[in-house]
Amino acid sequence: MRFIAALALACVGTFAAAASPATAQTFPTRPLTLVIPFAAGGSTDLVGRLVAQRMSEELGQQVVVDNRGGAGGNLGSAAVAKSAADGYTILMGTVATHALNPLIYTKIPYDPVKDFAPVSLLATVPNVLAVHPSVPANNVAELVALAKKDPGKFSYASSGNGTPLHLSGELFKTLAGVDIVHVPYKGSGPALIDVLAGQVPIIFDNLPSSTEHIKTGRLKGLGVTTTGRAPVFPDMPAIGETLKGYETYTWNALFAPAGTPPEVIARLNEAANKAVSDEKTKAKLAEFSATVVASTPDELAKHVQSEIAKWTPIVKQSGARID
C-alpha cells in the first residue's frame, strides 16, 4: 500500500510538471483584462484600446479594457500588482506610473520594479513646448534669451503638479538655466484655455492636445521634447537641438504582475508587438504622433530603470511631492 501511494504521488508530480508548460502553450483560454489606470479619453486610453483590439485578434480571446483612474495612476497599477500572476490581468503603464509617481508620492501602494513583470514598451508620444502668439520668440534659443533677460517674468502652464508635463518644464529650466514660474492646472484642457487666452504665455503639453492649435496659429510650437522631430511637424525642431541632452516624452508599456510565467510573458509580448506593428494600428497611432517601439521584456525593464534614474534628480530639484 505504501508503495502504491508513493507511486501515485510520484505520478501526480510528473503530470503536474508536464502540465505546466502545456498550460503556458495554450494560454490564453479565457478573456484577459487590460487595466488602464487613467480615465477614458486620454492618449494612454487611446493607445490601450487600439492595442487591446488587435491583441484580442492575436490571442483568440477578448482583451477587455478596464479604466481604473485615480491617484495619478496609482490605484489601477496597484490593482494589477496584486492580481494573480497568470497573465490574465495586465497593465498599460506609463512614465507616470513607473517612473514619476514612485518619486513624487510620499506613499505608493506598489513597487514599479519588484511588483511587475515587463512585457513590452509599446509606443512613445512626444510633448511640445508652445507659446502664445504674443510671445516675441520663434524658437527655443529666443525664448531662453527672453527668460534670461527677465528672470521670473515668464510662467509656464502644465497639466498639474508632478505630471510628466510639469517635469518637462523643470528639465527645461535646469538645462537652459532660466527662472520661469510653474502654473499647475487640473489637466491639459484648463491649461490650454488660459494659454490660448494669453493668461499664461508658455505651456508644456502632450503634442496631440496642442496639434490643432499649432496648425491654426493659435499657438506657436517652438520644439518637441523627443530627440527626433515629430512626423506631424517635420519643420519644428526638437528642443534637444538647442539644449543638449533634453529629452522627455510620454510612453506606454505593457506590464503583468511579478511572477507571471516566462512562457506567458513571451506570448503576451508576441501578441502586443504584433498589435502595435500592424499597419492599420501604426497609422492610427501616427495620427497623434505616437511612435511604435515594440520592445522585448528585458528592454522594457532597462527602460524603466533608466527613466527612474533620469527623473530622480529632476523631481528632487523641483520639490514636487504629493501626500
Side-chain angles (χ1 to χ4, degrees), residues 267-300:
R267 183 75 180 99
L268 289 170
N269 175 268
E270 178 187 29
N273 288 352
K274 283 184 177 180
V276 292
S277 299
D278 173 77
E279 290 304 318
K280 290 183 179 179
T281 305
K282 287 172 71 174
K284 283 284 187 183
L285 291 170
E287 289 178 8
F288 53 98
S289 303
T291 300
V292 169
V293 179
S295 78
T296 65
D298 185 56
E299 287 169 341
L300 174 55

Short mmCIF file of all heavy atoms in Angstrom, two decimals, residues 267-300:
data_model
loop_
_atom_site.label_atom_id
_atom_site.label_comp_id
_atom_site.label_asym_id
_atom_site.label_seq_id
_atom_site.Cartn_x
_atom_site.Cartn_y
_atom_site.Cartn_z
N ARG A 267 4.29 35.04 -24.69
CA ARG A 267 3.08 35.04 -25.53
C ARG A 267 2.45 36.43 -25.57
O ARG A 267 2.02 36.91 -26.62
CB ARG A 267 2.08 34.02 -24.97
CG ARG A 267 0.81 33.89 -25.79
CD ARG A 267 1.05 33.11 -27.06
NE ARG A 267 -0.17 32.98 -27.84
CZ ARG A 267 -0.47 33.76 -28.89
NH1 ARG A 267 0.36 34.70 -29.29
NH2 ARG A 267 -1.59 33.56 -29.55
N LEU A 268 2.39 37.09 -24.40
CA LEU A 268 1.84 38.45 -24.35
C LEU A 268 2.71 39.42 -25.15
O LEU A 268 2.19 40.29 -25.87
CB LEU A 268 1.76 38.92 -22.89
CG LEU A 268 0.70 38.25 -22.01
CD1 LEU A 268 0.91 38.65 -20.55
CD2 LEU A 268 -0.70 38.65 -22.47
N ASN A 269 4.02 39.26 -25.04
CA ASN A 269 4.94 40.13 -25.78
C ASN A 269 4.75 39.98 -27.28
O ASN A 269 4.68 40.97 -28.02
CB ASN A 269 6.38 39.79 -25.39
CG ASN A 269 7.40 40.56 -26.20
OD1 ASN A 269 7.86 40.08 -27.25
ND2 ASN A 269 7.77 41.75 -25.75
N GLU A 270 4.63 38.74 -27.73
CA GLU A 270 4.44 38.48 -29.15
C GLU A 270 3.14 39.12 -29.65
O GLU A 270 3.12 39.80 -30.69
CB GLU A 270 4.40 36.97 -29.40
CG GLU A 270 4.16 36.59 -30.86
CD GLU A 270 3.96 35.10 -31.04
OE1 GLU A 270 3.47 34.43 -30.10
OE2 GLU A 270 4.28 34.59 -32.13
N ALA A 271 2.06 38.95 -28.89
CA ALA A 271 0.76 39.49 -29.30
C ALA A 271 0.76 41.02 -29.26
O ALA A 271 0.22 41.67 -30.16
CB ALA A 271 -0.34 38.94 -28.39
N ALA A 272 1.36 41.60 -28.23
CA ALA A 272 1.39 43.06 -28.10
C ALA A 272 2.22 43.69 -29.20
O ALA A 272 1.82 44.71 -29.80
CB ALA A 272 1.94 43.44 -26.73
N ASN A 273 3.37 43.11 -29.50
CA ASN A 273 4.23 43.68 -30.53
C ASN A 273 3.63 43.55 -31.92
O ASN A 273 3.78 44.44 -32.77
CB ASN A 273 5.62 43.04 -30.47
CG ASN A 273 6.41 43.50 -29.27
OD1 ASN A 273 5.99 44.41 -28.54
ND2 ASN A 273 7.55 42.88 -29.02
N LYS A 274 2.94 42.44 -32.16
CA LYS A 274 2.23 42.31 -33.44
C LYS A 274 1.10 43.33 -33.52
O LYS A 274 0.82 43.88 -34.59
CB LYS A 274 1.68 40.89 -33.58
CG LYS A 274 2.71 39.84 -33.95
CD LYS A 274 2.07 38.48 -34.18
CE LYS A 274 3.09 37.45 -34.61
NZ LYS A 274 2.47 36.11 -34.84
N ALA A 275 0.47 43.60 -32.39
CA ALA A 275 -0.65 44.55 -32.36
C ALA A 275 -0.20 45.95 -32.77
O ALA A 275 -0.82 46.60 -33.60
CB ALA A 275 -1.28 44.57 -30.97
N VAL A 276 0.89 46.44 -32.16
CA VAL A 276 1.33 47.81 -32.47
C VAL A 276 2.06 47.89 -33.80
O VAL A 276 2.19 48.98 -34.37
CB VAL A 276 2.21 48.40 -31.35
CG1 VAL A 276 1.39 48.64 -30.09
CG2 VAL A 276 3.42 47.52 -31.06
N SER A 277 2.56 46.75 -34.30
CA SER A 277 3.27 46.76 -35.57
C SER A 277 2.34 46.59 -36.77
O SER A 277 2.78 46.74 -37.92
CB SER A 277 4.33 45.64 -35.59
OG SER A 277 5.28 45.84 -34.55
N ASP A 278 1.08 46.30 -36.51
CA ASP A 278 0.09 46.21 -37.57
C ASP A 278 -0.02 47.56 -38.29
O ASP A 278 -0.06 48.61 -37.65
CB ASP A 278 -1.26 45.82 -36.97
CG ASP A 278 -2.39 45.86 -37.98
OD1 ASP A 278 -2.48 44.94 -38.79
OD2 ASP A 278 -3.17 46.83 -37.95
N GLU A 279 -0.05 47.55 -39.61
CA GLU A 279 -0.02 48.79 -40.38
C GLU A 279 -1.19 49.72 -40.07
O GLU A 279 -1.04 50.94 -39.98
CB GLU A 279 0.03 48.48 -41.89
CG GLU A 279 1.35 47.88 -42.35
CD GLU A 279 2.55 48.76 -42.00
OE1 GLU A 279 2.45 49.99 -42.16
OE2 GLU A 279 3.57 48.20 -41.56
N LYS A 280 -2.38 49.16 -39.88
CA LYS A 280 -3.54 49.99 -39.56
C LYS A 280 -3.39 50.62 -38.18
O LYS A 280 -3.74 51.79 -37.97
CB LYS A 280 -4.82 49.15 -39.63
CG LYS A 280 -5.22 48.74 -41.04
CD LYS A 280 -6.53 47.98 -41.04
CE LYS A 280 -6.94 47.59 -42.46
NZ LYS A 280 -8.21 46.81 -42.48
N THR A 281 -2.87 49.83 -37.22
CA THR A 281 -2.66 50.35 -35.87
C THR A 281 -1.60 51.45 -35.89
O THR A 281 -1.75 52.49 -35.25
CB THR A 281 -2.24 49.24 -34.91
OG1 THR A 281 -3.21 48.17 -34.97
CG2 THR A 281 -2.14 49.74 -33.49
N LYS A 282 -0.51 51.21 -36.62
CA LYS A 282 0.56 52.21 -36.72
C LYS A 282 0.04 53.51 -37.32
O LYS A 282 0.42 54.61 -36.87
CB LYS A 282 1.71 51.66 -37.56
CG LYS A 282 2.54 50.60 -36.86
CD LYS A 282 3.55 49.96 -37.79
CE LYS A 282 4.68 50.90 -38.15
NZ LYS A 282 5.72 50.21 -38.95
N ALA A 283 -0.84 53.40 -38.31
CA ALA A 283 -1.40 54.59 -38.94
C ALA A 283 -2.26 55.37 -37.94
O ALA A 283 -2.22 56.61 -37.90
CB ALA A 283 -2.21 54.21 -40.16
N LYS A 284 -3.04 54.64 -37.14
CA LYS A 284 -3.88 55.29 -36.12
C LYS A 284 -3.01 55.98 -35.07
O LYS A 284 -3.29 57.11 -34.66
CB LYS A 284 -4.78 54.25 -35.45
CG LYS A 284 -6.00 53.83 -36.28
CD LYS A 284 -7.06 54.91 -36.24
CE LYS A 284 -8.33 54.44 -36.92
NZ LYS A 284 -9.36 55.52 -36.95
N LEU A 285 -1.97 55.29 -34.63
CA LEU A 285 -1.07 55.86 -33.63
C LEU A 285 -0.36 57.10 -34.18
O LEU A 285 -0.14 58.08 -33.46
CB LEU A 285 -0.05 54.82 -33.18
CG LEU A 285 -0.59 53.64 -32.37
CD1 LEU A 285 0.48 52.57 -32.19
CD2 LEU A 285 -1.09 54.11 -31.01
N ALA A 286 -0.03 57.07 -35.45
CA ALA A 286 0.67 58.20 -36.07
C ALA A 286 -0.20 59.44 -36.12
O ALA A 286 0.32 60.57 -36.17
CB ALA A 286 1.13 57.83 -37.48
N GLU A 287 -1.52 59.26 -36.08
CA GLU A 287 -2.42 60.41 -36.12
C GLU A 287 -2.22 61.32 -34.92
O GLU A 287 -2.49 62.52 -34.99
CB GLU A 287 -3.88 59.93 -36.18
CG GLU A 287 -4.26 59.32 -37.51
CD GLU A 287 -5.70 58.81 -37.52
OE1 GLU A 287 -6.43 59.08 -36.53
OE2 GLU A 287 -6.09 58.16 -38.50
N PHE A 288 -1.78 60.75 -33.77
CA PHE A 288 -1.47 61.62 -32.65
C PHE A 288 0.01 61.51 -32.27
O PHE A 288 0.42 61.59 -31.13
CB PHE A 288 -2.39 61.39 -31.44
CG PHE A 288 -2.50 59.98 -30.95
CD1 PHE A 288 -1.75 59.54 -29.89
CD2 PHE A 288 -3.39 59.10 -31.54
CE1 PHE A 288 -1.86 58.26 -29.40
CE2 PHE A 288 -3.52 57.81 -31.06
CZ PHE A 288 -2.75 57.38 -29.99
N SER A 289 0.84 61.37 -33.33
CA SER A 289 2.30 61.46 -33.24
C SER A 289 2.95 60.39 -32.38
O SER A 289 4.08 60.56 -31.92
CB SER A 289 2.71 62.84 -32.71
OG SER A 289 2.21 63.85 -33.54
N ALA A 290 2.26 59.28 -32.16
CA ALA A 290 2.86 58.19 -31.40
C ALA A 290 3.80 57.38 -32.30
O ALA A 290 3.50 57.13 -33.47
CB ALA A 290 1.78 57.28 -30.84
N THR A 291 4.93 56.99 -31.75
CA THR A 291 5.92 56.19 -32.48
C THR A 291 5.97 54.80 -31.88
O THR A 291 6.14 54.64 -30.66
CB THR A 291 7.32 56.83 -32.40
OG1 THR A 291 7.26 58.14 -32.98
CG2 THR A 291 8.35 56.00 -33.15
N VAL A 292 5.83 53.78 -32.70
CA VAL A 292 5.84 52.39 -32.23
C VAL A 292 7.26 51.97 -31.86
O VAL A 292 8.22 52.28 -32.57
CB VAL A 292 5.28 51.46 -33.33
CG1 VAL A 292 5.53 49.99 -32.97
CG2 VAL A 292 3.79 51.71 -33.52
N VAL A 293 7.39 51.27 -30.72
CA VAL A 293 8.67 50.75 -30.27
C VAL A 293 8.68 49.23 -30.35
O VAL A 293 9.52 48.64 -31.00
CB VAL A 293 8.99 51.21 -28.83
CG1 VAL A 293 10.35 50.63 -28.38
CG2 VAL A 293 9.01 52.73 -28.74
N ALA A 294 7.74 48.57 -29.66
CA ALA A 294 7.62 47.10 -29.66
C ALA A 294 8.91 46.44 -29.18
O ALA A 294 9.64 45.81 -29.95
CB ALA A 294 7.24 46.60 -31.05
N SER A 295 9.18 46.55 -27.87
CA SER A 295 10.44 46.07 -27.31
C SER A 295 10.34 44.64 -26.79
O SER A 295 9.27 44.04 -26.75
CB SER A 295 10.86 46.98 -26.16
OG SER A 295 10.12 46.68 -24.99
N THR A 296 11.47 44.13 -26.33
CA THR A 296 11.50 42.87 -25.59
C THR A 296 11.21 43.18 -24.12
O THR A 296 11.33 44.34 -23.69
CB THR A 296 12.88 42.20 -25.68
OG1 THR A 296 13.84 43.04 -25.02
CG2 THR A 296 13.30 41.99 -27.13
N PRO A 297 10.85 42.18 -23.30
CA PRO A 297 10.66 42.41 -21.87
C PRO A 297 11.91 42.98 -21.20
O PRO A 297 11.83 43.86 -20.35
CB PRO A 297 10.31 41.03 -21.33
CG PRO A 297 9.65 40.34 -22.48
CD PRO A 297 10.41 40.81 -23.69
N ASP A 298 13.08 42.45 -21.58
CA ASP A 298 14.33 42.91 -20.97
C ASP A 298 14.60 44.38 -21.33
O ASP A 298 15.07 45.15 -20.48
CB ASP A 298 15.50 42.04 -21.44
CG ASP A 298 16.80 42.40 -20.74
OD1 ASP A 298 16.83 42.37 -19.49
OD2 ASP A 298 17.79 42.73 -21.44
N GLU A 299 14.30 44.77 -22.54
CA GLU A 299 14.49 46.17 -22.95
C GLU A 299 13.58 47.09 -22.16
O GLU A 299 13.97 48.20 -21.78
CB GLU A 299 14.25 46.31 -24.45
CG GLU A 299 15.35 45.72 -25.31
CD GLU A 299 14.99 45.62 -26.77
OE1 GLU A 299 13.78 45.67 -27.11
OE2 GLU A 299 15.91 45.46 -27.61
N LEU A 300 12.35 46.64 -21.90
CA LEU A 300 11.44 47.45 -21.10
C LEU A 300 11.95 47.57 -19.66
O LEU A 300 11.89 48.65 -19.07
CB LEU A 300 10.02 46.87 -21.11
CG LEU A 300 9.01 47.55 -20.18
CD1 LEU A 300 8.90 49.04 -20.45
CD2 LEU A 300 7.63 46.88 -20.30
#
